[in-house]
Amino acid sequence: MKKPLLLSGLVMVSLPVIGWALYQHPSVNYRVEVLRAELRDTFFPVPETLPTPIAVAPTLPLLPIISPGQQLDPTTTSVQPTEAASPTPVASPAPNLPAQIVLTGFEHQYQKFNNCGPATLTTALSYYGRPERQDEAAAVLKPDGNDRNVSPNEMSAYIHQVGLEATVRVGGALDDLKRLIANGYPVIVEKGFDVSADQGWMGHYLLLTGYDDAQGLFIAQDSFLGPDQRVPYDRLDYYWRQFNRLYILPYPVNNEAEINSLIGPEDFTAMYVAALATAQTEAAADPNDANAWFNVGTNLAALERYTEAAAAYDQARVARLPWRMLWYQFGPYQAYYYAGRY
């Protein structure tokens, strides 16, 4: 009788250990967490979109496109001249880019649940010889395991912490991404992601490591879908636009001059003014474009034009935004607060 009792005792002790070991594997970890999320959503369902304003948002005349040296008068929605702005530094004209290039030397990692930020970032850093893995980065970037998002600024801070430089830009263009890759710099983009019809829209980071003009696509290291994904240019831009075309560029110390020659020096105001003009153009093309209006609001909030930003966010909410939008982008909280719309 002792042997069966001993055997059952060993099984009882070993099962939790085996379960814990399996849970450490990214694919098992992800499936377990997805199951937990599905059970939660079954018992505590959420609406598919963010709530619209309590009162019907006022009809807002489309904000006129502005340029550096101008500002919008929120009472008249007319462009008013301001003090002359200094010329905005721009990147030097780049030579013709190769039609195809693929960077190598990455150690791809599949993400654990809600861990695309740490997984994508450490995959990018492996290109520069960094040994960190996603769990090490996550311990710094999201010490609370329930944290649903790692922000671009948190990613940038971590890059600096491990001894590299970083720049975070918005309002990027596909040519910017290609120019960086062609010169040996992999780049991380923040974008939307439709996982499946039942799970809905989410935010996602993607590491771009190559491109092919003949096929019109980027090569990407995707922490969810796998290495060397082929992403058409138009599909990337469709989802990239949902995050104001933001990208994060890690690069070695002392390479700032080359980076500036490729994409221009960091200029916070000029960057957001240019991104605002793009968003306004897209809103003009389709006044029911929720993402365009959201980007208008985000760029206005960054420029501290909070009343106008709040009005733009109203339009985005009327046009309907996915319910997870504010997991990742916090401009509406800032705009409504400073506009006094608590």
Side-chain angles (χ1 to χ4, degrees), residues 275-295:
L276 174 59
T278 298
Q280 289 172 324
T281 298
E282 292 173 344
D286 181 3
N288 295 314
D289 185 336
N291 292 307
W293 280 113
F294 194 92
N295 289 341

Side-chain angles (χ1 to χ4, degrees), residues 192-193 201 238-244 291 295 325 329:
F193 186 38
W201 180 94
Y238 175 83
Y239 285 105
W240 190 28
R241 188 173 71 93
Q242 295 168 353
F243 281 82
N244 205 24
N291 292 307
N295 289 341
M325 196 72 167
Q329 304 191 70

Side-chain angles (χ1 to χ4, degrees), residues 127-176:
Y127 177 75
Y128 295 108
R130 296 300 312 179
E132 292 81 8
R133 305 290 290 176
Q134 64 174 301
D135 286 340
E136 296 171 74
V140 176
L141 293 166
K142 44 177 296 183
D144 181 346
N146 291 317
D147 187 349
R148 296 294 191 264
N149 176 56
V150 174
S151 74
N153 288 335
E154 289 173 317
M155 301 265 276
S156 175
Y158 185 82
I159 294 168
H160 284 96
Q161 181 176 318
V162 300
L164 294 168
E165 293 294 333
T167 183
V168 178
R169 307 289 180 96
V170 300
L174 298 183
D175 281 349
D176 295 330

Side-chain angles (χ1 to χ4, degrees), residues 54 70-71 118 271 274 278 282 291:
I54 294 175
Q70 295 179 316
Q71 66 179 5
M271 175 176 69
T278 298
E282 292 173 344
N291 292 307

